[in-house]
């Protein structure tokens, strides 16, 4: 009963489990939203340069990004999950390869984005690192050790703290996701299904220290970490417990989702940060049905909100994209709008 009450209190705008008042974006209504992730299909170079491929430059365009967010807002999405420096985007390294901090262009573009591109009434949930970029499949397992284990303190002081301090200066940002789907770089059957990668202990230490640093540098922001690859399994088993997080973020892909009450999964409130169909083929009716099921289920069962995956790249839309290559919106967008009006 206590676990259910915690989620209900947060939704009602009262007090979260750690005694802190929730950020403005988590007061009151159930959060209907969408993932934008990277803009214009520019993974790891939509706000700053990719250190591995600096010649790509950046696609940053405040006016275009505003158009994307305005379109989502008009279709009922009021909480948008945007990715920041997923694979070291906008990071500066010295000639010796050591991390020096964030590039000024990256920071300036984010400031411009927050000031000019985010419509009134829209709030942002900003996801920082992407664990998928450091999975064994990526070939960057050694880099993961250098960043998440050996270089943890350097990252926190030179990248994390300055960035979240900047975010906290904007009323548009309400929360952050420390790592997208950390399971991707963790070894084991309850993570990346291989015997290669970091341990849960190493990643939990990284999350815990990062969360503490965020609370110190930007106490007004709510801090979460997302869990993917295993549905609600790792959240339920306690992999994200006792890390100083304000809420948890789950990712689920299912054609016919069986959603348990949030309070039965974990004592902390849960945001469904990604959802979509499991079938990998473009089907408007299936996407429509799945969107209805996830929105109705999570609202009635005590979740903070549900964010669809994803707006998509107009140049190369996939089966989960909310828009087609001609810019038109798929029917599922109307479901978000109907829900926003009805609720």
């Amino acid at each position: 009963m206590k676990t259910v009450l915690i989620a209900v209190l947060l939704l009602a705008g009262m007090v979260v489990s750690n005694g802190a008042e929730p950020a403005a974006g988590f007061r009151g209504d159930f959060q209907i939203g969408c993932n934008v992730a990277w803009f214009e299909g520019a993974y790891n170079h939509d706000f700053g340069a990719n250190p591995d491929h600096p010649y790509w430059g950046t696609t940053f365009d405040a006016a275009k990004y505003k158009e994307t967010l305005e379109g989502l807002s008009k279709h009922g999405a009021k909480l948008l999950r945007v990715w920041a420096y997923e694979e070291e985007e906008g990071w500066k390294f010295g000639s010796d390869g050591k991390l020096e901090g964030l590039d000024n262009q990256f920071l300036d573009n984010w400031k411009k984005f927050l000031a000019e591109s985010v419509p009134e009434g829209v709030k942002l949930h900003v996801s920082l690192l992407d664990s998928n970029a450091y999975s064994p499949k990526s070939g960057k397992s050694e880099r993961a050790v250098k960043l998440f284990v050996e270089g943890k303190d350097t990252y926190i002081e030179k990248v994390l703290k300055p960035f979240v301090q900047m975010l906290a200066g904007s009323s548009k940002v309400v929360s952050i996701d420390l790592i997208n789907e950390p399971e991707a770089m963790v070894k084991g059957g309850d993570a990346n299904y291989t015997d290669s990668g970091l341990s849960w202990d190493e990643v939990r230490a990284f999350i815990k220290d990062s969360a503490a640093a965020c609370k110190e540098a930007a106490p007004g922001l709510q801090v979460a970490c997302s869990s993917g690859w295993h549905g609600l399994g790792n959240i339920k088993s306690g992999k994200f417990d006792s890390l100083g997080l304000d809420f948890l973020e789950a990712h689920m892909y299912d054609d016919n989702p069986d959603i348990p009450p949030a309070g039965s999964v974990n004592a902390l409130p849960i945001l469904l940060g990604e959802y979509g169909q499991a079938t990998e083929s473009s089907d408007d009716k299936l996407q429509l049905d799945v969107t209805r099921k996830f929105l109705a289920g999570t609202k009635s069962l005590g979740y903070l909100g549900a964010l669809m995956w994803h707006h998509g790249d107009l140049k190369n839309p996939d089966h989960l994209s909310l828009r087609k290559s001609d810019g038109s919106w798929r029917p599922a967008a109307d479901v978000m709008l109907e829900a926003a009006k009805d609720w």
Side-chain angles (χ1 to χ4, degrees):
M1 190 68 183
K2 179 181 177 183
T3 55
V4 176
L5 180 59
I6 291 171
V8 173
L9 287 176
L10 184 59
L11 285 168
M14 296 175 67
V15 179
V16 293
S17 59
N18 64 1
E21 187 175 333
F26 288 108
R27 292 191 185 123
D29 296 337
F30 177 83
Q31 302 296 309
I32 297 172
C34 188
N35 281 265
V36 180
W38 49 96
F39 289 85
E40 307 294 314
Y43 178 88
N44 212 42
H45 63 288
D46 52 350
F47 284 95
N50 181 327
D52 292 334
H53 306 282
Y55 51 88
W56 287 356
T58 175
T59 62
F60 182 76
D61 185 322
K64 280 188 177 180
Y65 292 10
K66 180 179 181 180
E67 183 181 348
T68 296
L69 301 194
E70 284 181 335
L72 287 165
S73 177
K74 289 176 182 177
H75 284 86
K78 299 304 181 184
L79 181 64
L80 302 178
R81 183 170 177 254
V82 177
W83 291 20
Y85 45 70
E86 49 269 24
E87 192 183 347
E88 301 160 39
E89 176 181 349
W91 294 16
K92 290 189 303 183
F93 295 89
S95 57
D96 57 0
K98 293 183 178 179
L99 177 61
E100 295 182 342
L102 288 166
D103 181 76
N104 287 334
Q105 179 195 43
F106 176 81
L107 286 171
D108 289 345
N109 285 344
W110 261 94
K111 291 174 184 176
K112 187 176 180 69
F113 169 71
L114 293 172
E116 301 179 12
S117 304
V118 185
E120 287 299 318
V122 168
K123 300 296 182 182
L124 301 181
H125 174 50
V126 180
S127 187
L128 304 182
L129 288 158
D130 179 20
S131 171
N132 293 282
Y134 303 94
S135 70
K137 187 177 179 180
S138 73
K140 294 183 178 179
S141 293
E142 290 186 9
R143 196 159 169 173
V145 173
K146 290 181 180 179
L147 169 60
F148 295 95
V149 182
E150 297 171 358
K152 176 181 60 175
D153 294 340
T154 301
Y155 160 75
I156 287 174
E157 292 301 322
K158 296 189 175 182
V159 173
L160 179 63
K161 283 186 176 180
F163 187 66
V164 297
Q165 283 176 333
M166 183 273 294
L167 292 181
S170 171
S171 61
K172 303 295 179 64
V173 182
V174 296
S175 56
I176 57 172
D177 166 23
L178 294 172
I179 313 174
N180 176 61
E181 302 181 347
E183 289 91 342
M185 62 182 177
V186 177
K187 60 187 174 184
D190 56 1
N192 64 18
Y193 304 102
T194 77
D195 58 3
S196 179
L198 303 180
S199 69
W200 270 113
D201 285 345
E202 289 170 328
V203 172
R204 278 176 50 84
F206 181 89
I207 295 170
K208 185 175 183 178
D209 289 353
S210 295
C214 287
K215 299 297 180 64
E216 175 188 338
L221 295 180
Q222 296 280 285
V223 182
C225 190
S226 62
S227 176
W229 292 48
H230 295 268
L232 295 166
N234 286 328
I235 290 178
K236 190 168 186 176
S237 68
K239 291 292 192 296
F240 297 89
D241 288 358
S242 304
L243 299 179
L245 301 171
D246 295 303
F247 67 98
L248 302 176
E249 179 185 328
H251 297 171
M252 295 178 68
Y253 292 86
D254 201 314
D255 291 350
N256 190 27
D258 181 14
I259 305 169
S264 71
V265 179
N266 198 280
L268 284 174
I270 301 172
L271 172 73
L272 187 60
E274 291 183 19
Y275 72 84
Q277 67 193 57
T279 299
E280 296 183 4
S281 61
S282 187
D283 183 329
D284 283 353
K285 184 180 183 304
L286 177 60
Q287 186 187 46
L288 186 75
D289 291 344
V290 167
T291 301
R292 283 196 176 115
K293 290 173 182 176
F294 272 116
L295 285 176
T298 50
K299 183 178 188 297
S300 66
L301 293 167
Y303 291 77
L304 294 175
L307 313 183
M308 174 186 284
W309 184 272
H310 58 152
H311 175 270
D313 175 15
L314 298 186
K315 297 176 183 177
N316 188 30
D318 61 21
H319 62 288
L320 294 167
S321 296
L322 196 53
R323 294 179 73 182
K324 300 178 182 179
S325 57
D326 62 2
S328 62
W329 295 82
R330 295 177 66 187
D334 293 329
V335 175
M336 288 198 306
L337 183 58
E338 290 168 8
K341 289 180 178 178
D342 292 343
W343 297 342

